[in-house]
Amino acid sequence: MRIHMIRHLILLAVLLGTLSAMADNSLAPEPCLPVPTPQQVAWQQLETYAFIHFGPNTFNDKEWGYGDAPASSFNPTRLDCEQWVQTLVKGGMKGVILTCKHHDGFCLWHTQYTDYNVANSPFKRDVVKELSDACKKYGIKFGVYLSPWDRHQASYGTQEYVTYYYNQLTELMTQYGDVFEVWFDGANGGDGWYGGASEKREIDRSTYYNYPKAWGIVNRLQPDAVIFSDGGPGCRWVGNEKGYANATNWALLRIKEVYPGYPQYEELQSGHADGDGWCAAECNTSIRPGWFYHESEDDKVKTVDELTDLYYRSVGHNGTFLLNFPVDKEGLIHPTDSATLVAWRERIDHEMGNNLLKGAKFTASDTRNKQFSSSMMGDDNWETYWAASDGVTAADIIIKTKKDVTLDRIMLQEYIPLGQRVKAFVIEYKTCCGKWVPVIVDEETTTIGYKRIVRFNEKTASEWRIRILDARACPCINNIEGYHS
Ligand code: FUL
């Protein structure tokens, strides 16, 4: 009896302790699940990185080779991975993902598992090695694309091929240093059945590759690598190849529902508001119409204006931007593409280079523990953030500048290590007659996530207000900046 009473007292004490901890707003907010891993946060902070599509397709004017192009056709005359990486660095790219093997099965590294590789081409040298070395030399990240679908291997469609695929993945994960991302392409023929040029080999891509096993290999050998596929687990395809995410974009996904080849892929443009897994969107597109180089597309390179718009709709919509460069037949990034990349980066730096809200006074209608210092916003310390009290899911942040400023962009960031919370917000400015008026935005202002950049018709004011209208839990904002483009 006495033991029972003591047990009850202990339980009561624990419960009271928990309640008081919950109500104690001096503590950091509880995470709002799901939350990202530190690797996913670091990955999202890269923001912009490059894709390189290169292989026999480059020399045979194809996008999807059948796997029958002779290795001798791979013959770049001036291949220079340092030129690629130096160009990408100039263009502000933080990493590069190479098609080590595309659907045609040709391998750009010295694999021991097939002769259909670069060692047997006139070029001979290991391209994966040269690129990963160049990345180390110039300080950007290196990533791997290894197509599961293989139109060259005779064993494709059998279990033997799957073992071959794992072996190749293991080579790439162990021989080239750190890998920041591994790309598992969901493409698998029109209906998942093409073998080589003229044959059919049925596979069920949701089971054939046993993806969890492949992902296990990556996790074991490259624990910091983020795994891309249509549905993650590290990051997800954005559901289009045009390089943008929807304005409403959750980093959340009903993770067990989405698999490579997921037919309702359009949902991926916004993610799932009720998702139970953290899986932010990667927005991929090519700087030209094709992924591989075609001379006929030399005059079809995307313009700086188009790329700038995509930046706002990818990075500015809580995604990352993966921009592809089709390396040309010489083995170089084409001069038009590199000039466009550098000009695009200069444009972004110009439009977002001068934070006009720096030094402004920030206050809020509700602040957890009353600790809100204006210096938390627009500083370089990503770890400091404003948060509302527990249970408060709507609050205003008011920004006063010393004198009038003219803005047409506002950047908002949530402190995502504690989850993605905000569901709806508006941005307002105070008119000269003291009225709060929303700035005109031609897209929804719903989610924020890691980064939301809102573009609007320029407004001049010395008071601005971010009204958070609804959130999944008390909002945590770690950055607000304002720009005039
Ligand atoms: C797609 C592939 O089929 C294209 O060839 C390209 O590699 C693109 C990035 O992904 O699924």
Side-chain angles (χ1 to χ4, degrees), residues 54 59 71-78 121-123 329-331:
F54 188 46
F59 302 87
S72 59
S73 67
F74 182 83
N75 192 14
T77 44
R78 294 173 61 206
S121 76
F123 183 70
K329 289 190 208 178
E330 291 192 298

Side-chain angles (χ1 to χ4, degrees), residues 96-238:
V96 55
I97 300 174
L98 173 69
T99 53
C100 300
K101 178 187 87 165
H102 201 250
H103 309 323
D104 62 10
F106 183 80
C107 300
L108 292 180
W109 78 102
H110 292 169
T111 174
Q112 58 165 298
Y113 297 104
T114 178
D115 290 342
Y116 198 47
N117 83 63
V118 68
N120 297 312
S121 76
F123 183 70
K124 291 197 168 46
R125 283 146 43 193
D126 185 325
V127 182
V128 177
K129 168 125 186 38
E130 294 190 11
L131 180 58
S132 55
D133 285 349
C135 286
K136 283 178 206 119
K137 179 162 171 189
Y138 296 100
I140 65 169
K141 311 256 180 207
F142 170 70
V144 161
Y145 167 113
L146 181 70
S147 172
W149 178 33
D150 190 318
R151 300 171 103 180
H152 179 81
Q153 287 305 311
S155 64
Y156 183 76
T158 68
Q159 196 46 45
E160 189 188 329
Y161 171 77
V162 180
T163 305
Y164 166 85
Y165 183 72
Y166 295 161
N167 285 338
Q168 291 203 316
L169 186 60
T170 304
E171 279 185 328
L172 291 170
M173 294 301 106
T174 51
Q175 293 177 15
Y176 299 96
D178 290 345
V179 171
F180 84 103
E181 181 172 330
V182 185
W183 231 80
F184 289 89
D185 194 337
N188 225 124
D191 298 310
W193 53 259
Y194 298 102
S198 57
E199 50 172 326
K200 254 183 155 178
R201 279 180 241 162
E202 303 259 2
I203 62 112
D204 174 353
R205 68 183 134 171
S206 65
T207 54
Y208 177 56
Y209 302 107
N210 191 356
Y211 279 116
K213 193 162 171 189
W215 298 337
I217 293 171
V218 176
N219 288 335
R220 185 164 51 81
L221 301 172
Q222 293 281 346
D224 289 335
V226 165
I227 295 172
F228 166 98
S229 85
D230 289 2
C235 65
R236 70 172 198 269
W237 182 41
V238 76

Side-chain angles (χ1 to χ4, degrees), residues 319-336:
T320 60
F321 189 43
L322 172 59
L323 181 61
N324 178 64
F325 294 85
V327 161
D328 67 16
K329 289 190 208 178
E330 291 192 298
L332 301 172
I333 294 182
H334 190 278
T336 310

Side-chain angles (χ1 to χ4, degrees), residues 243-401:
Y244 68 84
N246 284 345
T248 300
N249 183 19
W250 292 96
L252 316 181
L253 205 63
R254 294 190 296 273
I255 202 100
K256 286 180 209 89
E257 246 174 60
V258 186
Y259 53 88
Y262 183 63
Q264 286 104 272
Y265 55 82
E266 282 184 358
E267 293 170 8
L268 304 177
Q269 298 183 148
S270 287
H272 294 147
D274 60 350
D276 54 1
W278 186 274
C279 198
E282 177 183 85
C283 307
N284 65 317
T285 197
S286 184
I287 196 163
R288 290 163 177 246
W291 295 99
F292 284 91
Y293 179 78
H294 309 283
E295 216 168 324
S296 59
E297 294 181 352
D298 278 353
D299 58 356
K300 296 195 175 66
V301 177
K302 286 189 175 63
T303 62
V304 170
D305 281 350
E306 287 169 318
L307 292 173
T308 303
D309 183 54
L310 289 179
Y311 170 82
Y312 288 114
R313 292 160 75 205
S314 55
V315 175
H317 282 178
N318 187 31
T320 60
F321 189 43
L322 172 59
L323 181 61
N324 178 64
F325 294 85
V327 161
D328 67 16
K329 289 190 208 178
E330 291 192 298
L332 301 172
I333 294 182
H334 190 278
T336 310
D337 304 23
S338 37
T340 307
L341 167 68
V342 173
W344 166 69
R345 177 60 61 180
E346 281 167 5
R347 169 78 72 82
I348 305 285
D349 289 348
H350 170 75
E351 293 195 4
M352 304 280 297
N354 184 15
N355 173 17
L356 296 166
L357 297 181
K358 206 172 174 101
K361 189 166 182 331
F362 289 75
T363 52
S365 61
D366 176 276
T367 296
R368 184 184 200 86
N369 195 28
K370 312 277 177 278
Q371 283 175 355
F372 185 20
S373 106
S374 298
S375 64
M376 284 177 180
M377 300 293 146
D379 67 349
D380 292 334
N381 184 357
W382 205 71
E383 294 293 331
T384 54
Y385 55 92
W386 160 84
S389 311
D390 287 331
V392 174
T393 52
D396 294 346
I397 298 178
I398 296 135
I399 306 150
K400 281 192 191 163
T401 52

